[in-house]
């Protein structure tokens, strides 16, 4: 294995472009890889909506950057693996009344597992991406830490990375802010210097999850009927089907109370949506499964941590109530709003090192 060779996942955006340029300048033998995960194919009688890092424009932008900085570039078809892991999990979670985070699944199963296989085939020791995160080795264990730009930090979506994956990962942007990255891109003369960040999930370009589910699994969705909308134990209306709602949702409920009400609970077994007042969405205790411990082999009961329940969340103090190899339960010192099953619970220490992460159960 070539210890100086690194393959860089190039999405066609400014971040991955700069990551490749920095590593090339630092003397690495860099190979650019654009992962084709989503494209124009028929699904449920309707075409997929190609966008973001999966579009032809994105591939051409990545190739343009690679040519400019003088590295080879390849586009690799990962659509089958993406379908079987990310898309299938996304659909399964919504059909269970949960709200998934597909980026977490994609990072672990596609961007690293599949990319490391490609690295092996190219005799490369490392993989690199344009994520804002820092990898460090402490006491024979690899860990993740907040990046310099805490507003852009992406460690929340990287909690699923294994020790093996982290041992072979480089994050060149961890020591820069977004503004500094754009300035570096301009210095290199990269076409992507002013390219705006992608905001949508790559396979749901319009952020319309209902549309996507109806196209993806019409034979299932069309059999899901209206269900009861319940407020404080009383049926107050009908909803269009449980997969089309998420915890904390306020708009599109089809009822009026003269005050805001929110989705409080989703019961996929009975096709029931329970709504409540804002204060009813506040929770202190959170349980997560499918846990991956990063900085430590396991957390101890009573240990103080700082937890996030969504990407845009701020990490707040909590204590570990129960801890097991595959599950964890914590209690926040202050209640969190709209804790959502299917999203990720990610725990840090007071210095910003990522301790563990898992999928929220309840």
């Amino acid at each position: 294995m070539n210890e100086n060779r690194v393959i860089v996942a190039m999405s066609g955006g400014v971040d991955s472009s700069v990551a490749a340029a920095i590593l090339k300048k630092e003397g690495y033998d860099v190979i650019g890889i654009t992962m084709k995960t989503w494209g124009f194919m028929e699904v449920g009688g309707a075409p997929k909506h190609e966008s973001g890092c999966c579009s032809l424009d994105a591939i051409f932008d990545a190739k343009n950057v690679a040519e400019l900085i003088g590295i080879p570039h390849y586009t690799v078809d990962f659509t089958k693996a993406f379908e079987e892991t990310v898309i299938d999990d996304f659909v399964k979670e919504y059909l269970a009344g949960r709200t998934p985070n597909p980026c977490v699944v994609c990072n672990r199963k596609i961007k690293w597992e599949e990319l490391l296989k490609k690295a092996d085939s190219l005799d490369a020791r490392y993989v690199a991406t344009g994520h804002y995160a820092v990898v460090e080795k402490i006491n024979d264990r690899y860990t993740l830490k907040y990046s310099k730009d805490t507003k852009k930090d992406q460690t929340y979506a990287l909690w699923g990375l294994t020790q093996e994956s982290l041992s072979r990962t480089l994050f060149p942007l961890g020591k820069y802010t977004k503004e500094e990255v754009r300035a570096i891109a301009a210095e290199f003369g990269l076409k992507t210097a002013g390219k705006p960040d992608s905001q949508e999930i790559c396979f749901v370009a319009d952020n319309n999850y209902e549309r996507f589910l109806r196209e993806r699994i019409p034979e299932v969705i069309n059999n899901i009927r209206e269900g009861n909308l319940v407020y404080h134990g009383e049926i107050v209306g009908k909803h269009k089907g449980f997969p089309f709602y998420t915890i904390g949702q306020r708009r599109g409920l089809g009822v009026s109370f003269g005050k805001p009400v929110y989705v409080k609970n989703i019961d996929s077994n009975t096709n029931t949506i329970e709504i409540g007042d804002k204060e009813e969405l506040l929770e202190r205790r959170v349980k997560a499964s499918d846990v991956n411990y990063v900085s430590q082999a396991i957390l101890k009961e009573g240990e103080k941590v700082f937890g996030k329940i969504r990407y845009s969340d701020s990490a707040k103090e909590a204590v570990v109530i129960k801890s097991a190899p595959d599950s964890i339960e914590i209690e926040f010192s202050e209640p969190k709003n709209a804790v959502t099953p299917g999203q990720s619970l990610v725990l840090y220490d007071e210095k910003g090192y990522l301790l563990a992460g898992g999928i929220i159960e309840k």
Side-chain angles (χ1 to χ4, degrees), residues 174-199:
K175 58 185 178 181
Y176 298 103
T177 65
K178 182 71 177 193
E179 291 73 21
E180 289 171 337
V181 166
R182 289 200 181 278
I184 293 170
E187 290 175 8
F188 276 108
L190 303 184
K191 176 183 178 181
T192 55
K195 191 172 182 178
D197 293 340
S198 176
Q199 300 296 326

Side-chain angles (χ1 to χ4, degrees), residues 101-109 156-160 344 359:
N101 187 332
C103 293
V104 169
V105 180
C106 183
N107 282 336
R108 183 171 189 172
K109 297 294 185 179
Y156 175 84
L158 299 170
W159 64 261
S344 294
I359 303 297

